[in-house]
């Protein structure tokens, strides 16, 4: 057992750090670090810079821009990205649809989509969830019926993140309503968002932002060739997709950056006659959270190291611990920021809406503006991507054998 | 001991609850929020008609002589409705300060105007450096002939943007954190040297930043020693907020249990999962503990001994803060995705609860202070 990083790994970390700190505009990292809204243009700039350096899709197959890194390298890459507050490449592109197309898509689909997906020339959104199919995703009802060389799609997706920016959507559609098991009649279909019959309706989140949408399909005609892989095998591809990139899920680096920032901000806030950082109780809470995070980081490294010996695309059930604890810690950092800010967490900054160009009016200290919106918004982290309850169910079955 | 309401109290409860049910549904509330100023003058007139605006005041002042229990009844119903109107600011804080600090003439002139709905008030005490300390006051009041002039900045003044008069804490002597030398001043708005910048708060209510640059203030009570009256009124506000929080929590809990019975996943109601049933039961325990502390605070708020009174008010704030946070987070979580949207009521309850947590000191702040003392149990 050797728990330290090798000299090569340390050098690799240096290289990553240098890249992220020099090649990604400081202004974007600063915004992201403060929890301010990062615009579509910022995300594109960031991902294109990373892609140019071969750093947007290191986990893809080599032929399509992958790097054949060890799991530890991938971990270091992600950790440096997160701790330096670099917005991650769009997950829908690089973690979800890209790997699925690379693994199961036709040659024509690979040529057409993969380079553009890596470079964020195409913005993808994920059309899985429906009003009646959340945790029970296999209960989805949006249908695709074959008509000659086309699919005719009808139904409704919901919670579709950033569909308002998207050029394409990858959808799970029911193609065999009579299959013996509901998981068996589902196909994975790529749909151009400009196709007639698609309507996008915004859903406002609690912080006032617009990041999720309903997407309606009314007699939407899609070329048959936009099917990925085989008909009625979509559930397998979805499982592959969800099993990919499980280690990033804990977002340890994000929490690390937030906790470091909390410590700095606590020097600026005053409680009674002293800075908040000198308040024993606050410091203990902050420190306790740091301990939890160190532990999670080690757990994450254990999962990463174990990945070498696991078949690809089969998630390690331990990654459910990463999701569960990782979301609890992220949410706890937002609570601590609320407590740090105090009364000035109350003003609602009308200008803070995503894509809004108007400056938030400055009321109270600058860092106070994001406290409540982030606290409210980040309740989502324990709901999406398999809720914490679903993660517990997985752990109960897969690890405890109940 | 008797936890039952008397006939008048039951009548009050029925009529306020009916008003909230009939007039304060989700869409109606949204419409009220969109009205100029962010709340409904029509609702305010109805509160006046029902006698709610003069509830705590003596009959001679146009009131109904209601006590803490009556205030609790109103607060709980307002919590269920997520009422936007400036009741806390005007009636509980503003009216309370006039009752506790004002002389007979001031009371006789202002309280009836509150009861009738004409006069709106706000209480300006937070300052950029004060956090939750009421006695942390840097705003200065200087005597200038027969007048007092105020200099300083006040922040997050609840409903400060609609008030006709703002009650401002200002220092007449001593240094920023001294407990003595604090006065309470009535400032007319609009007025020379007063600037008010209103904005919505995270829960859809309103607040304002108030700058005073030589504004004229009329002292309310002793300009050198208003803190005891202020602390008393803030304890009353804490009892009110505790009851409002109970209304918010009860509504969140009911909504969650309802939703669990309706929402189907995996071919059954999610409420069939025992793991989730236990979560809902834990929420019930949080709610009932909070309700009990809110009741205790209501019982004790008329207590004249400031130490005993404050101890219980602060303890209630700790309990509702902790219960409310956990219960709110669980309510959102158990609703799944719709819990984090503006389109469903539960998220709005969660946001109001989060703001109540902050108002007049969060749980940690009150806990730290209580822990400095000799505990909260009664001596055997
Ligand atoms: C901000 C946000 C962004 C999202 N982005 C996308 C996106 O881009 N694309 C997409 O397809 N989807 C997206 N989702 C959807 C997300 O994956 C679902 O919200 C999630 O699967 C939960 O489904 P639900 O909201 O219907 O809740 P439900 O499944 O109805 O769950 C309600 C509650 O019941 C619990 N529960 C359900 N089943 C069980 C069980 N068997 N045992 C114990 N507890 C259970 C849940 O944990 C939850 O607490 C997003 C969601 C959010 C909130």
């Amino acid at each position: 057992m050797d728990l330290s990083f090798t000299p090569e790994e340390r050098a690799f970390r240096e290289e990553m750090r240098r890249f992220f700190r020099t090649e990604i505009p400081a202004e974007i990292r600063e915004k992201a670090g403060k929890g301010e809204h990062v615009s579509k243009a910022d995300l594109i700039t960031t991902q294109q810079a990373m892609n140019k350096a071969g750093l947007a899709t290191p986990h893809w197959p080599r032929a399509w821009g992958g790097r054949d890194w060890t799991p530890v390298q991938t971990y270091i890459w992600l950790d440096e990205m997160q701790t330096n507050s670099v917005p991650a490449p769009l997950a829908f592109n690089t973690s979800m649809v890209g790997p699925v197309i690379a693994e199961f898509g036709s040659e024509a689909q690979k040529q057409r989509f993969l380079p553009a997906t890596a470079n964020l020339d195409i913005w993808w959104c994920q059309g899985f969830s429906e009003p009646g199919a959340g945790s029970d995703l296999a209960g989805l009802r949006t249908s695709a019926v074959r008509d000659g060389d086309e699919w005719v799609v009808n139904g409704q997706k919901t919670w579709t993140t950033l569909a308002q920016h998207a050029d394409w959507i990858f959808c799970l559609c029911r193609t065999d309503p009579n299959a013996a098991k509901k998981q068996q009649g589902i196909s994975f279909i790529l749909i151009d968002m400009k196709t007639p019959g698609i309507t996008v309706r915004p859903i406002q989140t609690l912080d006032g932002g617009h990041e999720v949408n309903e997407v309606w399909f009314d007699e939407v005609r899609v070329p048959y060739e936009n099917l990925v892989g085989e008909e009625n095998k979509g559930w397998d591809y979805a499982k592959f997709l969800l099993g990919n990139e499980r280690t990033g899920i804990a977002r340890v680096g994000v929490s690390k950056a937030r906790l470091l920032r909390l410590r700095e901000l606590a020097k600026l806030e005053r409680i009674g006659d002293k800075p908040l950082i000198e308040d024993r109780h606050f410091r203990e809470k902050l420190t306790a959270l740091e301990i939890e995070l160190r532990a999670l980081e080690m757990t994450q490294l254990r999962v990463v190291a174990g990945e070498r010996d696991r078949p690809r695309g089969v998630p390690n059930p331990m990654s459910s611990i990463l999701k569960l604890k990782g979301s609890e810690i992220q949410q706890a950092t937002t609570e601590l920021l609320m407590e740090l800010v105090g009364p000035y967490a109350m003003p609602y900054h009308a200008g803070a809406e995503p894509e809004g160009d108007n400056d938030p009016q400055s009321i109270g200290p600058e860092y106070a503006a994001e406290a409540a919106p982030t606290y409210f918004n980040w309740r989502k982290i324990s709901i999406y991507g398999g809720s914490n309850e679903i993660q517990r169910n997985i752990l109960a079955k897969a690890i405890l054998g109940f | 001991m008797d936890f039952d309401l008397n006939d008048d109290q039951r009548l009050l409860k029925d009529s306020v609850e009916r008003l909230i049910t009939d007039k304060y549904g989700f869409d109606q509330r949204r419409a009220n929020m969109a009205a100029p100023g962010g709340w409904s003058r029509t609702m305010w007139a109805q509160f006046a008609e029902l006698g709610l605006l003069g509830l705590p005041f003596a009959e001679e002042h146009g009131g109904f002589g209601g006590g803490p229990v009556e205030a609790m009844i109103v607060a709980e119903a307002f919590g269920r409705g997520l009422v936007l109107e400036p009741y806390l600011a005007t009636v509980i804080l503003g009216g309370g300060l006039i009752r506790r600090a004002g002389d007979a003439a001031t009371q006789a002139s202002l309280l009836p105007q509150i009861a009738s709905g004409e006069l709106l008030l706000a209480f300006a005490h937070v300052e950029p450096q004060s956090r939750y300390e009421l006695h942390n006051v840097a705003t200065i009041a200087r005597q200038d002939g027969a007048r007092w002039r105020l200099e300083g900045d006040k922040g997050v003044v609840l409903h400060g943007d609609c008030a006709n008069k703002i009650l401002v804490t200002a220092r007449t002597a001593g240094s920023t954190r001294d407990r003595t030398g604090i006065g309470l001043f009535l400032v007319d708005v609009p007025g020379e040297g007063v600037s008010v910048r209103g904005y919505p708060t995270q829960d859809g209510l309103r607040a304002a930043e108030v700058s005073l640059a030589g504004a004229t203030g009329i002292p309310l009570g002793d300009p050198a020693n208003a803190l005891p009256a202020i602390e008393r009124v803030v304890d009353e506000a804490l009892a009110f907020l505790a009851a409002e929080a109970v209304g918010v929590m009860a509504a969140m809990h009911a909504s969650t249990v309802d939703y669990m019975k309706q929402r189907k996943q995996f071919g059954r109601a999610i409420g069939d999962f025992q793991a989730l049933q236990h979560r809902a039961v834990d929420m019930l325990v949080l709610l009932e503990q909070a309700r009990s502390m809110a009741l205790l605070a209501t019982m004790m708020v008329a207590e004249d001994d400031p130490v005993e009174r404050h101890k219980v008010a602060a303890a209630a704030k700790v309990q509702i803060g902790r219960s409310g946070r956990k219960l709110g987070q669980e309510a959102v979580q158990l609703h799944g995705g719709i819990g984090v949207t503006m389109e469903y009521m539960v998220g709005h309850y969660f946001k109001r609860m989060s703001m109540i947590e902050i108002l007049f000191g969060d749980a940690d702040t009150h806990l730290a202070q209580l822990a400095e003392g000799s505990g909260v149990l009664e001596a055997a």
Side-chain angles (χ1 to χ4, degrees), chain A residues 125-126 129 131 156-166 169 193 199-205 209-216, chain B residues 341 343:
Chain A
C125 64
Q126 179 191 17
S129 305
Q156 186 203 342
K157 295 293 176 181
T158 191
W159 308 122
T160 323
T161 298
L162 299 182
Q164 73 268 33
H165 297 334
I169 182 168
M193 289 292 284
T199 313
V200 177
R201 189 188 76 83
I203 302 174
Q204 208 181 15
T205 43
H210 172 200
E211 64 179 69
V212 286
N213 303 273
E214 291 179 337
V215 181
W216 300 76
Chain B
T341 72
E343 302 186 358

Side-chain angles (χ1 to χ4, degrees), chain A residues 92 125-137 157-162 205 211-212 377 380-390 393, chain B residues 259 263-266 270 273 275-276 279 330 332-338 340:
Chain A
F92 308 115
C125 64
Q126 179 191 17
F128 282 17
S129 305
E130 298 181 4
S135 298
D136 181 17
L137 183 58
K157 295 293 176 181
T158 191
W159 308 122
T160 323
T161 298
L162 299 182
T205 43
E211 64 179 69
V212 286
N377 183 280
K380 72 187 177 188
I381 299 178
S382 50
I383 294 171
Y384 66 30
S387 71
N388 280 8
E389 291 70 37
I390 296 301
N393 289 349
Chain B
Y259 190 73
R263 173 68 172 167
K264 289 208 167 58
Q265 288 287 274
F266 305 99
I270 57 172
F273 297 118
L276 297 194
R279 300 271 287 274
E330 289 288 84
V332 168
Q333 180 70 21
L334 293 172
H335 277 79
I338 59 162
V340 296

Side-chain angles (χ1 to χ4, degrees), chain B residues 12-329:
Chain B
L12 173 68
K13 186 173 158 71
D14 287 347
S15 64
V16 187
E17 285 182 350
R18 195 166 337 107
L19 179 74
I20 295 304
T21 308
D22 293 350
K23 300 278 173 65
Y24 236 97
F26 187 79
D27 293 328
Q28 185 70 44
R29 177 174 186 268
R30 190 144 54 177
N32 291 349
M33 205 185 290
W39 52 273
S40 159
R41 301 270 166 176
T42 317
M43 279 310 292
W44 196 246
Q46 290 188 11
F47 293 169
E49 215 169 284
L50 269 177
L52 302 182
L53 301 185
L55 193 65
F57 310 149
E59 276 170 42
E60 56 182 300
H61 295 141
F64 287 83
V69 174
E70 283 73 15
M72 176 190 80
I73 288 168
V74 173
E76 195 175 329
F78 280 12
R80 279 177 197 271
L82 292 180
V83 165
L84 301 163
E85 283 68 27
Y87 193 86
L88 177 68
T90 295
V91 178
I92 303 297
L93 291 167
L97 289 167
I98 289 167
R99 269 178 354 125
R100 303 296 179 198
D103 57 24
T106 311
Q107 294 188 19
S109 109
L110 297 184
L111 294 179
Q113 294 181 48
I114 298 177
S116 68
E118 293 156 71
L119 178 63
L120 301 172
L121 298 172
F123 175 39
H125 62 99
V126 174
E127 297 186 359
Q129 82 295 340
S130 71
R131 189 167 273 267
Y132 299 123
E133 274 180 339
L134 289 171
H135 60 275
N136 191 324
V137 178
T139 297
I140 298 288
R142 266 191 211 88
Q143 207 153 11
D144 172 15
R147 301 148 57 133
W148 290 83
R149 294 198 176 277
L150 310 180
E151 293 282 342
D153 291 315
K154 297 287 180 177
V156 203
V157 179
L158 301 178
H159 281 109
D161 58 341
C162 64
N164 313 111
K165 289 179 191 294
I166 301 182
L167 294 124
V168 177
T169 55
R171 189 158 286 290
T172 54
S175 57
T176 304
R177 295 184 63 239
D178 286 351
R179 290 184 55 85
T180 54
I182 295 169
L184 187 63
F185 296 86
L186 270 166
V187 175
D188 281 324
V189 193
E192 214 183 297
V194 188
S195 82
V196 175
R197 202 160 127 228
Y199 49 81
T201 48
Q202 296 287 343
D203 48 8
L205 277 70
R206 301 282 306 181
E209 301 296 286
V210 176
S211 293
L212 304 158
T216 301
I218 299 168
L220 201 64
D222 181 353
N225 195 24
L227 193 60
I230 292 169
E231 287 183 333
R232 170 160 209 166
V233 172
V234 168
D235 284 344
E236 289 166 351
L238 286 174
F240 185 89
L241 282 171
E244 183 183 341
V246 167
V248 173
M249 281 186 245
M252 274 196 284
H253 186 244
S255 162
T256 305
V257 171
D258 261 9
Y259 190 73
M260 287 170 62
K261 290 177 180 171
Q262 285 164 32
R263 173 68 172 167
K264 289 208 167 58
Q265 288 287 274
F266 305 99
R268 73 192 91 160
I270 57 172
D272 284 356
F273 297 118
Q274 199 166 40
L276 297 194
Q277 289 173 8
H278 287 185
R279 300 271 287 274
V281 169
D282 288 344
M283 288 167 73
L284 175 68
V285 175
L286 292 168
L287 168 62
E288 293 308 331
Q289 288 287 88
R291 188 190 299 282
S292 294
M293 278 313 275
L295 277 167
L296 192 61
T298 300
M299 269 168 53
M300 289 293 287
V301 78
E303 173 77 39
D304 282 325
D305 174 356
V307 175
E308 287 308 308
R309 184 194 69 224
H310 181 67
K311 211 189 258 182
V312 173
K317 192 71 193 342
V318 174
Q319 182 69 51
I320 64 151
R322 299 204 151 180
S323 279
R325 183 184 301 188
K326 181 74 179 158
L327 192 148
Q329 293 174 350

Side-chain angles (χ1 to χ4, degrees), chain A residues 229-267:
Chain A
E230 292 175 47
E231 245 180 89
N232 298 325
K233 287 276 170 63
W235 189 254
D236 295 343
Y237 310 149
K239 275 204 323 212
F240 170 88
L241 175 155
L242 297 170
N244 248 303
E245 262 283 297
R246 299 297 284 178
T247 49
I249 223 167
R251 304 222 305 169
V252 168
V254 172
S255 292
K256 211 189 282 176
R258 285 184 64 84
L259 287 174
L260 290 169
R261 187 169 137 79
L262 276 165
R263 217 170 246 288
E264 289 308 307
L265 295 180
K267 295 175 186 160

Side-chain angles (χ1 to χ4, degrees), chain A residues 245-372:
Chain A
E245 262 283 297
R246 299 297 284 178
T247 49
I249 223 167
R251 304 222 305 169
V252 168
V254 172
S255 292
K256 211 189 282 176
R258 285 184 64 84
L259 287 174
L260 290 169
R261 187 169 137 79
L262 276 165
R263 217 170 246 288
E264 289 308 307
L265 295 180
K267 295 175 186 160
L268 304 176
E269 275 291 324
R270 293 192 71 77
I271 182 161
D273 56 359
K274 56 182 195 245
L276 183 61
I277 195 64
E278 286 171 27
D279 180 73
R280 184 167 186 95
H281 182 67
F282 184 84
R283 235 174 28 240
E284 282 178 358
K285 272 180 125 167
L286 182 58
T287 309
L289 209 48
E290 292 171 348
I291 294 170
E292 289 262 29
L293 188 64
R294 286 303 290 265
L296 185 67
E297 189 173 24
M298 275 309 278
T299 309
Q300 168 159 308
L301 283 165
R302 286 162 56 210
V303 174
V304 166
E307 242 162 52
R308 251 190 342 238
D309 311 323
R310 298 187 63 87
R312 264 184 70 226
V314 182
N316 182 344
M318 280 287 280
S319 64
S320 287
I321 294 183
L322 300 181
K323 172 75 177 16
L324 188 60
K325 196 73 217 175
S327 45
E328 284 175 0
I329 292 176
Q330 288 175 72
Q331 290 174 338
T333 67
T334 70
E335 290 173 50
L336 215 50
L337 182 60
M338 286 286 281
E339 290 166 15
L340 180 146
V341 161
Y344 274 103
M346 292 188 69
Y348 176 75
H349 298 261
E353 262 120 47
E355 302 301 304
D357 295 323
N358 44 336
D359 267 346
Q361 305 163 271
S362 59
I363 299 160
E366 178 209 26
Y367 52 81
E370 295 307 317

